[in-house]
Amino acid sequence: MLVLVAPGQGAQTPGFLTPWLDLPGATDRVAAWSKAIDLDLLHYGTQADADAIRDTAVAQPLLVAAGILSAAALAGPDALVSLPNGDGFDTGSGTPAPAALPGVTADVVAGHSVGEITAAVFAGVLDPVAALRLVRVRGLAMAQAAAVTDTGMAALLGGDPEIVVPHLERLGLTPANVNGAGQIVAAGTAEELAALAQDKPEGVRRVVPLKVAGAFHTRHMAPAVDVLGEAALELAPADPAVAYVSNRDGRVVESGAEVLDRLVGQVANPVRWDLCMETFKERGVTALVEVCPGGTLTGLAKRALPGVPTLALKTPDDLDAARALIAEHAGQTA
């Protein structure tokens, strides 16, 4: 049983998109997406520095584009040339996408935070252009909300959640990402995070500041929920063509309308990746592939799902190994 996952904000690094543009059709595809959302994804994915791509309004569309691009490339060397914009996928007309993204062969899909939008494309809930337009609105709205107060996030490594979570709440922080595998991400104001650095919960080995520009998945993002909700009204989501696991509670969501509703609300609510991985386990996961820029979620899976083969798509050099893993494990559900 093959799970395909998409990473969230913070996974991006300068130039990470560069090797992917060597694939046939990739540059033209990304250029078209850039035009559709009025953001130069080619520049930000290849030439921009770490500070530029840390910007929420840039990072989120860039990550979704990279995830879609790398997943579609799994279909073969010429897959990006034939990746449809309109034939089978909605480009804004309101016609639901009828099937999973071409190239995606998975039994279960999920994404971490903004990666949920990428996963919605994998499942056929949204077409690539509609998803990129939605994430462009999301990134801008979250960046605007983050600008109101000096906020951020920090990963806590180690510790018992039953001890860590109450400790964070006493400091005024939110456990914004409960990632499993001994990792919780705290979010709040700069002052609250500074207090955490001086007062770690019992059992926590390290507190690592994250390269994000706000306290995502907390009350600080409430203004962005309304903006994203307005944008979502213009979309006509299709029901998932494969099992779609939600960050809210790890549940498999079968309605496209509910997926979209959860994507909107999740902006200001904690990510329960631990529960997503529990669902993978319950459904009998035998392999997990993480799309570009892969690494974060496979790292968590190695600790939380011991014995399950994992593969992170970092460059096109990883595609053949990913295809072999998918061919061996996809479609093995009962």
Side-chain angles (χ1 to χ4, degrees), residues 174-198:
T174 299
N177 301 162
V178 182
N179 287 331
Q183 185 188 104
I184 292 177
V185 174
T189 66
E191 292 80 6
E192 291 163 349
L193 291 169
L196 173 64
Q198 298 299 317

Side-chain angles (χ1 to χ4, degrees), residues 157-309:
L157 307 182
D160 183 337
E162 293 187 3
I163 295 174
V164 172
V165 170
H167 187 102
L168 294 178
E169 292 173 344
R170 283 196 298 273
L171 294 175
L173 292 158
T174 299
N177 301 162
V178 182
N179 287 331
Q183 185 188 104
I184 292 177
V185 174
T189 66
E191 292 80 6
E192 291 163 349
L193 291 169
L196 173 64
Q198 298 299 317
D199 182 17
K200 297 196 299 287
E202 179 185 349
V204 170
R205 301 187 306 275
R206 294 175 60 202
V207 176
V208 182
L210 299 185
K211 296 178 181 178
V212 296
F216 306 140
H217 303 291
T218 72
R219 58 184 174 80
H220 295 284
M221 292 295 110
V225 174
D226 293 337
V227 176
L228 196 60
E230 287 293 323
L233 293 175
E234 301 178 6
L235 301 177
D239 293 339
V242 298
Y244 179 97
V245 178
S246 168
N247 282 182
R248 180 188 295 179
D249 49 16
R251 189 167 72 82
V252 174
V253 181
E254 299 180 350
S255 159
E258 185 179 352
V259 169
L260 191 57
D261 181 67
R262 285 172 172 244
L263 288 175
V264 172
Q266 200 64 43
V267 168
N269 287 282
V271 169
R272 294 301 306 269
W273 192 250
D274 59 332
L275 298 181
C276 291
M277 290 195 293
E278 283 298 319
T279 298
F280 302 162
K281 187 185 301 183
E282 290 168 4
R283 293 180 74 91
V285 58
T286 61
L288 180 145
V289 173
E290 181 181 4
V291 298
C292 176
T296 302
L297 301 182
T298 49
L300 292 171
K302 286 174 182 177
R303 297 191 292 275
L305 303 170
V308 174

